[in-house]
Amino acid sequence: MKTKLETVNAIKKKITVDLPAERVVEALEKAYQKVQKKAKMNGFREGKIPRNLLEIHFKRDAENKAVELLIDGSFTDALKKEAAEPVSRPNVVSVGPFQKDAPLTYTLEFEVSPTVELKDYHGLTLEKTEREVKDEYVDKRLESIQRSMTQLEPAKDDAALGDGYVAFVDFKGTADGKEFKGGKADNFLVDVGGGSLLPEFEKEMMGMKKGENKKVEFDYPKDYFNKELAGKHGQFDVTIKELKFKRVPELNDDLAKDMGNYKTLSEVKADIKKRMVEAVEHEEKKELADRAMEELVKKHKFEVPESVAVQELKDMFDGFVRQLQAQGKKFEETGMKVEQFVEQYKPVAEGRVKGYYILDAIAKAEKIEVLESDIEERLKTTATNVNQPLEKVKEYYETNNLLGGLKFQILNDKTLDFVITKAKIETKKAKKQ
């Protein structure tokens, strides 16, 4: 077998392969055997057509099959011989001519990884937003936890809807005299001051008691988010089916004990602050990583293989669909067509792929590697996050062939960390909340 490797462009090569006549003869023999098993002809049982008739009536089928066998059986060795590393399956660009006792020549074309000439990845200037965890943020989070632990108790018979109460109501209404989607509900939960209803609607219901029915009227705000209702006059028939009193726990050590492994409220606050600080640090790290990737991609100009970018785009689309499914939604409900997704996110996919190639080049230049301890630590973190035993997480990654992807992600993370440690970090003030 003779081979010749040629460069088409920076990310594409072609290889021409010459196969000797004896391989052609051998492949044609196997091809006729395969064709004979499936060929059909009147007067003969399947698989029993004589060879001479096969050569008359199924010659083209056998030759095509022989070519297929020859290419499939030789292109991998041909690529190895030339030390070529395609990033996708090669395409056949020319074959032949085919003769049963003569050599066969074919040419394949394939994409390869680009050669990245690294530029100025030391000393990047990166901007980071200054974030801090104030005591007031901790207090707000604690109040949110306090509200989530509220107990609902039956209200007294003479109780009226107001602050500290929730109501289960039936309502049916119109906007400017016409029914509309969402204008009717049964057992709708109204948490006073919670924002489940318009303030104008809620105000008209204040003072109502269990079993009471009332005609409620109000005007929708002119800037209401639902343009079909904005500025219209609402009229509703409302019935209070049930009232509940909200028993909000006090912020004290007893509440802390009810929350789990805490003895005092101070311990709860300390843990909340610790978690918020960790979240802020994670946001800062992600922000710097994103900025570093943006800067690296800007500095390096090269083409990326289309097949790799397409696969990245497909992975992005699949991930988007999975997110929607987790929310109980379908892609069709987004109002976006697949073509629109491709148009919008194709540049993003190409940028990501370019970033991967740049990080790979930096990792090689700086001899950054993924150690077994790195993989072990990442798996431990994953096990903690999903609340599963480490061995079960390991088994999942091994069974589903995910360790390669995990190693790839760790290498990218370590390389980005390296770039960030060599960068000049400028801090800007966070916007007031």
Side-chain angles (χ1 to χ4, degrees), residues 39-51:
K40 295 180 181 180
M41 180 180 288
N42 290 335
F44 296 95
R45 285 182 295 147
E46 189 173 301
K48 298 297 182 180
I49 301 174
R51 175 63 176 265

Side-chain angles (χ1 to χ4, degrees), residues 141-193:
R141 176 59 185 147
L142 187 58
E143 289 169 5
S144 175
I145 295 172
Q146 178 191 27
R147 288 194 299 272
S148 71
M149 297 178 71
T150 295
Q151 299 293 318
L152 297 182
E153 300 177 356
K156 295 180 180 180
D157 292 339
D158 61 346
L161 184 61
D163 289 339
Y165 287 87
V166 299
F168 293 89
V169 308
D170 292 347
F171 65 76
K172 183 178 181 181
T174 61
D176 281 354
K178 295 182 180 179
E179 295 182 357
F180 61 93
K181 185 178 180 180
K184 179 182 178 182
D186 294 326
N187 289 317
F188 186 84
L189 176 64
V190 178
D191 182 3
V192 176

